[in-house]
């Protein structure tokens, strides 16, 4: 049983507090399908997120199977299935791959065969078998919703929360998915399925309907008593009717009538009579109790009504007398119900050969999750042609760019350096000429090293900026499903690490070969390039983890790279007063300066010193500072992954 008692959630906006949920109390027994309906913005998604533990209530308590979720901890990831309002999966994966990935990330399976049995079972259940090879990007809205549902069914959850999985569909698909939810609730007598919907059609497939209005419960009972309670002829007239009175009055009205409805339909309030079996509820007559309708209250207090619109006036004037309307509804309802039962039986026949998926209650290990994420990330990378071309263009194009500047210059500089080393005694004329070429040589060597570093950091920011922010919605859903933050971070480190190594090493080695050797220790220079790339990747990954939108993450990362060049101290020396506050944060400075320090034993060092006043740090200090950047970046990324960022 799921019980909500006096749940309130208030939001402070512009100094005013707005109640998103106000004293929401209701209970749902297992084996039950509940619809939460209400006008747009009335708090349906908020209520669902509160039940799922994604939003924290200010007051009240939520109990699941007797457990107080606030005190005894949230639902286990495999107990809960949450299908968000906008279903999300990786566009470039196929339906089958998405479901297989959910199985691998959320369940422990004995072997490959048993994992595939679950994939096939879930796809069959949701009618996706024929679409298994289709990529998500080409699926229709309804098919995407089915997929959203399939991804949650892999753990066979006992509490399945669906947000608008039936919205925006054609009537046939809407009915099919509602029927599927109905079957899911019936298949497992430990399960509760809650579906949030705008739509007031197909309500008869639900065991009970909860109407929410401005964050308040204004009705909760069987669908067949809904029209009677609101004194309307058809459910579609309920929303206009709701608008005619304040939510407070509707809430008070329901608070007064609730007990008689709960008694009549054996839907007792949580703390009183225990719930009846859902199946009994479904077939139960209201015991010939004369149930009050909210109309009675409407008549009592007309002054409280907002001015009805013309259309509402019409429907109000057509309202039948309570008793007549009830008798008429009862007759129609009996007919409709018989037809529905018939269809339901037929449908059940279709599904009775379905196998139950065993509920796996242990999550896969950290490395199993990491492996799956990594495998999936490479699949997506391979299919994203434009990304692949961009990466290839940068990987091979950027080092070429550096070589263009160094191809002729570096060998000349080397010659000059040899001459200088050989002729210690130079006449004055030669010395002046030599000073000029020394400065040119220093400028060239310093410029080439800086260019390598800046281009490597540019590639790094491009690698990492969208990496988390670009799939935030998927990450949120998977985190709720039991994905560990550490597994996710490890998969990103391994994936991006490949790019870091490839880009930095290729940049260093290619330039070294074609320019016939830039001075300094090659190994140390390569390590510093890798570290510059790694630390910038880590920092941008941190930004990506903390930002909600990929656009924001990209812009911030680009700014960060943009500032590397002017603040590196290689082009312009920073004012001494601010240098100590800025330099520690500039990756390019440390990598550039550490690389130049490795030339200390050669005359290039003097050449470089001749063109810059910026102090050059020893390579091991540079490596140390860059590793701090790396650690800080990864810590930020971890914090960003852990921090829930549901909209
Ligand atoms: N984080 C938030 N900040 C500010 N307002 C919010 C936030 N979350 C929800 N709201 C407001 O709370 C109200 C209820 O939102 P909610 O998304 O629950 O509505 P809903 O009933 O699901 O609507 P719809 O049917 O359109 O999906 C809305 O007015 C919405 O603007
Ligand atoms: Mg919503």
């Amino acid at each position: 049983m799921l019980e909500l008692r006096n749940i309130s959630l208030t939001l402070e906006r512009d100094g005013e507090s707005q109640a998103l949920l106000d004293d929401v109390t209701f209970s749902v027994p297992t084996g039950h399908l509940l619809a939460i309906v209400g006008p747009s913005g009335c708090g349906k998604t908020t209520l669902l997120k509160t039940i799922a533990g994604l939003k924290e209530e200010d007051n009240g308590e939520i109990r699941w199977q007797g457990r107080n979720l606030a005190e005894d901890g949230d639902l286990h990831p495999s107990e809960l299935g949450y299908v968000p309002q906008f279903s999300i999966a990786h566009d470039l994966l196929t339906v089958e791959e998405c479901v297989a990935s959910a199985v691998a990330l959320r369940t422990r399976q004995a072997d490959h065969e048993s994992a595939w049995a679950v994939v096939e079972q879930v796809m069959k259940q949701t009618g996706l078998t024929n679409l298994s090879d289709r990529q998500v990007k080409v699926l229709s809205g309804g098919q995407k919703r089915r997929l959203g549902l399939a991804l949650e069914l892999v753990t066979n959850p006992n509490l399945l929360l669906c947000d608008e999985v039936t919205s925006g569909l054609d009537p046939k698909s809407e009915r099919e998915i509602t029927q599927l939810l109905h079957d899911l609730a019936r298949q497992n007598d430990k399960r509760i399925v809650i579906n949030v919907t705008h739509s007031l059609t197909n309500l008869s497939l639900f065991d009970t309907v909860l109407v929410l209005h401005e964050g308040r419960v204004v009705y909760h009972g069987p669908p067949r008593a809904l029209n009677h309670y609101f004194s309307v002829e058809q459910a579609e007239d309920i929303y206009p009717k709701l608008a005619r009175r304040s939510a407070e009055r509707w809430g008070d009205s329901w608070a007064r009538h609730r007990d008689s409805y709960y008694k009549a339909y054996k839907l007792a309030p949580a703390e009183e009579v225990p719930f009846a079996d859902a199946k009994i509820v479904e077939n139960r007559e209201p015991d010939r109790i004369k149930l009050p309708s909210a109309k009675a209250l409407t008549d009592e207090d007309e002054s409280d009504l907002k001015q009805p619109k013309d259309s509402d006036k019409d429907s109000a004037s057509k309202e039948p007398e309570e008793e007549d309307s009830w008798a008429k509804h009862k007759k129609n309802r009996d007919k409709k119900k018989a037809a529905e039962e018939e269809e339901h039986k037929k449908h059940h026949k279709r599904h009775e050969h379905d196998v139950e998926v065993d509920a796996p209650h242990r999550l896969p290990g950290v490395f199993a999750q990491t492996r799956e994420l990594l495998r999936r990330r490479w699949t997506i990378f391979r299919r994203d042609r434009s990304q692949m071309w961009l990466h290839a263009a940068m990987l091979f194009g950027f080092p070429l760019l550096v070589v263009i500047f160094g191809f002729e210059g570096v060998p000349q500089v080397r010659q000059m350096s040899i001459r200088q080393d050989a002729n210690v005694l130079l006449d004055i004329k030669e010395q002046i000429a030599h000073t000029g070429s020394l400065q040119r040589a220093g400028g060239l060597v310093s410029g080439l090293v800086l260019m390598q570093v800046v281009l490597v950091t540019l590639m790094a920011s491009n690698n990492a900026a969208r990496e988390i922010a670009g799939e935030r919605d998927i990450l949120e859903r998977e985190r709720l499903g039991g994905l560990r933050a550490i597994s996710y971070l490890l998969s990103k480190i391994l994936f991006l690490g490949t790019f870091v190594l490839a880009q930095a090493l290729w940049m260093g080695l290619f330039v070294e070969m074609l320019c016939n050797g830039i001075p300094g220790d090659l190994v140390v220079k390569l390590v510093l390039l890798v570290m510059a790339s790694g630390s910038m990747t880590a920092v941008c990954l941190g930004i990506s983890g903390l930002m909600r939108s990929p656009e924001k993450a990209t812009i911030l990362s680009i700014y960060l790279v943009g500032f590397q060049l002017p603040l590196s101290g290689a082009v312009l020396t920073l004012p001494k007063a601010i240098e100590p506050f800025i330099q520690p944060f500039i990756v390019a400075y440390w990598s550039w300066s550490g690389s130049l320090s490795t030339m200390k034993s050669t005359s290039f060092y003097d050449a470089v010193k001749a063109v810059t006043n910026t102090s050059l740090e020893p390579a091991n200090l540079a490596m140390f500072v860059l590793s701090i950047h790396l650690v800080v970046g990864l810590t930020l990324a971890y914090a960003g992954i852990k921090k829930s960022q549901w909209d």
Side-chain angles (χ1 to χ4, degrees):
M1 167 132 48
L2 173 74
E3 300 164 74
L4 274 79
R5 287 188 199 164
N6 313 107
I7 295 294
S8 300
L9 202 157
T10 311
L11 199 84
E12 288 295 323
R13 207 191 270 169
D14 305 328
E16 279 181 30
S17 58
Q18 184 198 349
L20 301 190
L21 297 175
D22 193 353
D23 205 17
V24 172
T25 298
F26 68 93
S27 306
V28 195
T30 48
H32 197 96
L33 174 63
L34 167 75
I36 299 181
V37 301
S40 185
C42 69
K44 303 182 294 294
T45 298
T46 308
L47 178 57
L48 218 55
K49 284 183 177 169
T50 310
I51 298 171
L54 299 170
K55 278 190 192 263
E56 207 176 323
E57 64 277 9
D58 300 329
N59 287 308
E61 63 178 40
I62 303 177
R63 287 182 171 271
W64 168 249
Q65 316 291 37
R67 250 171 56 208
N68 184 333
L69 294 185
E71 286 168 11
D72 307 332
D74 285 337
L75 285 152
H76 187 271
S78 69
E79 274 182 297
L80 173 71
Y82 176 65
V83 188
Q85 184 157 359
F86 304 102
S87 57
I88 11 132
H90 289 284
D91 274 353
L92 294 171
L93 294 182
T94 64
V95 167
E96 191 178 77
E97 285 167 342
C98 288
V99 179
S101 182
V103 171
L105 289 178
R106 300 182 63 178
T107 71
R108 256 178 211 254
Q109 300 294 333
D111 50 33
H112 195 64
E113 279 68 39
S114 61
W116 274 105
V118 178
V119 173
E120 280 172 7
Q121 153 70 20
V122 165
M123 287 202 305
K124 189 168 136 204
Q125 236 178 347
T126 46
L128 288 170
T129 308
N130 293 337
L131 304 170
S132 62
D133 290 334
R134 210 168 281 182
Q135 285 192 358
V136 173
K137 66 178 177 194
V138 297
L139 294 183
S140 72
Q143 291 161 345
K144 277 188 184 158
R145 295 218 168 86
R146 281 173 193 273
L147 176 60
L149 203 54
L151 298 180
E152 297 308 311
L153 289 179
V154 298
T155 58
N156 201 21
N158 285 339
L159 180 59
L160 181 60
L161 308 175
C162 308
D163 199 348
E164 310 269 8
V165 290
T166 50
S167 296
L169 303 183
D170 62 89
K172 184 170 167 278
S173 309
E174 185 180 338
R175 176 141 190 117
E176 277 173 8
I177 295 195
T178 312
Q179 182 69 55
L180 172 63
L181 296 179
H182 181 96
D183 294 344
L184 287 170
R186 291 288 182 274
Q187 264 171 19
N188 181 344
D189 57 9
K190 290 193 211 108
R191 182 180 283 156
I192 291 173
V193 181
I194 300 181
N195 184 36
V196 157
T197 173
H198 276 100
S199 168
L200 296 169
T201 49
N202 296 321
L203 285 184
S204 55
L205 284 170
F206 292 86
D207 294 306
T208 54
V209 178
L210 183 137
V211 183
L212 211 59
H213 181 36
E214 293 177 19
R216 285 166 183 262
V217 177
V218 298
Y219 173 82
H220 176 214
R224 58 183 185 275
L226 190 68
N227 292 1
H228 169 69
Y229 179 73
F230 286 100
S231 304
V232 290
E233 292 219 33
Q234 48 188 15
E236 284 71 16
D237 295 334
I238 291 172
Y239 290 170
K241 191 125 196 201
L242 280 178
R244 290 169 54 195
R245 204 200 298 182
S246 72
E248 209 179 343
R249 302 293 302 176
W250 280 115
D252 291 347
S253 164
W254 175 244
R256 280 216 291 277
H257 299 324
R258 187 178 63 187
D259 287 352
S260 45
Y261 273 76
Y262 278 8
K263 247 188 215 143
Y265 293 102
K266 290 228 187 290
L267 291 164
E271 58 274 83
E272 292 173 15
V273 196
F275 266 106
D277 180 354
K279 280 140 209 148
I280 300 174
V281 171
E282 189 180 42
N283 297 320
R284 226 190 124 77
E285 287 304 316
D287 279 350
R288 302 193 176 279
I289 295 168
K290 188 190 159 201
L291 286 170
S293 71
K295 176 175 169 285
L297 193 121
T298 315
D299 294 341
E300 269 167 31
D301 196 359
E302 278 291 341
S303 61
D304 189 54
L305 295 184
K306 291 176 191 161
Q307 228 15 57
K309 293 182 209 128
D310 284 348
S311 58
D312 293 344
K313 269 188 202 155
D314 285 345
S315 78
S317 64
K318 272 190 238 146
E319 256 170 27
E321 272 304 300
E322 196 176 287
E323 289 294 336
D324 288 354
S325 124
W326 180 239
K328 219 158 69 191
H329 280 308
K330 201 166 163 296
K331 226 167 148 190
N332 287 343
R333 188 200 61 218
D334 288 344
K335 257 200 230 156
K336 229 165 112 190
K337 209 167 164 300
E340 274 160 13
E341 294 281 290
E342 194 55 37
E343 196 177 315
H344 176 64
K345 270 186 212 148
K346 267 197 243 157
H347 194 88
H348 253 286
K349 259 195 184 139
R350 276 210 307 277
H351 284 268
E352 66 197 7
H353 55 281
D354 285 354
V355 205
E356 272 282 303
V357 186
D358 285 329
H361 280 284
R362 281 177 69 214
L363 290 170
V366 173
F367 296 111
Q369 288 188 334
T370 306
R371 198 172 52 233
E372 170 55 25
L373 288 174
L374 197 60
R375 195 197 54 73
R376 189 173 81 182
R377 185 65 190 89
W378 279 113
T379 307
I380 294 167
F381 178 74
R382 278 200 309 275
R383 291 195 187 145
D384 192 346
R385 295 277 154 189
S386 57
Q387 266 295 312
M388 264 182 57
W389 281 115
L390 183 65
H391 275 284
M394 288 195 297
L395 178 67
F396 299 111
F398 282 1
L400 268 176
L401 210 62
V402 182
V403 165
I404 291 171
F405 291 94
F407 191 64
E408 283 183 2
V410 173
Q412 279 172 19
V413 169
R414 195 169 280 284
Q415 283 303 316
M416 182 206 79
S417 162
I418 292 164
R419 268 206 326 273
Q420 187 217 6
D421 288 343
N423 307 309
V424 181
L425 292 172
L426 297 166
D427 65 25
I428 293 182
K429 211 170 144 198
E430 271 182 316
Q431 270 198 15
I432 293 168
H434 181 73
T435 310
S437 43
L438 194 69
Q439 284 193 345
R440 278 199 303 281
L444 180 65
V445 170
S446 163
L448 286 180
V449 172
L450 184 69
M451 212 167 150
Q452 282 183 305
V453 172
V454 169
L455 290 177
V456 156
T457 54
L458 185 60
M459 286 191 272
S461 87
N462 175 67
N463 297 341
R466 300 177 74 90
E467 198 56 31
I468 301 175
E471 56 181 28
R472 188 80 220 188
D473 292 336
I474 298 174
L475 169 62
E476 291 296 339
R477 208 203 59 230
E478 291 183 336
R479 288 271 299 129
L480 186 68
L483 173 63
R484 294 178 182 84
I486 190 68
S487 305
Y488 187 80
L489 181 65
L490 276 176
S491 77
K492 293 297 174 201
I493 292 174
L494 292 172
F495 176 70
L496 295 174
T498 316
F499 290 86
V500 166
L501 287 176
Q503 291 164 349
L505 292 179
W506 180 244
M507 170 68 86
L509 290 172
F510 184 78
V511 173
E512 188 78 14
M513 283 184 307
L514 288 201
C515 293
N516 215 5
I518 294 183
D521 186 328
L522 179 62
V523 175
V524 178
K525 282 188 303 175
L526 286 178
V527 170
L528 281 166
L529 263 188
V530 169
M531 291 196 77
S533 172
S535 50
M536 185 56 88
T537 300
V539 172
C540 291
L541 194 67
I543 293 174
S544 192
L546 292 170
M547 292 293 123
R548 186 65 185 84
S549 82
E551 289 74 27
K552 273 191 201 159
T554 308
I555 287 177
L556 257 176
S557 302
I558 288 174
Y559 278 139
L560 193 65
V561 176
F563 280 117
Q564 297 294 311
L565 188 68
L567 298 181
S568 64
V571 184
L572 294 170
T573 309
L574 287 169
K576 287 286 170 230
I578 60 165
E579 199 183 69
F581 302 104
I582 294 197
Q583 262 175 358
F585 302 101
I586 307 299
V587 167
Y589 164 71
W590 293 100
S591 186
W592 167 79
S593 130
S595 293
L596 294 182
S597 294
T598 66
M599 302 172 194
K600 212 158 192 168
S601 55
T602 72
S603 55
F604 286 100
Y605 192 71
D606 302 326
V608 171
K609 285 306 284 175
V611 290
T612 177
N613 286 328
T614 304
S615 52
L616 300 178
E617 308 291 349
N620 43 10
L621 178 63
M623 284 180 199
F624 175 71
V625 176
L626 288 174
S627 21
I628 293 179
H629 282 234
L630 189 93
V631 171
V632 169
L634 293 180
T635 309
L636 291 178
Y638 183 71
I641 295 165
K642 279 218 102 163
K643 184 169 163 258
S644 175
Q645 292 192 34
W646 284 91
D647 274 334

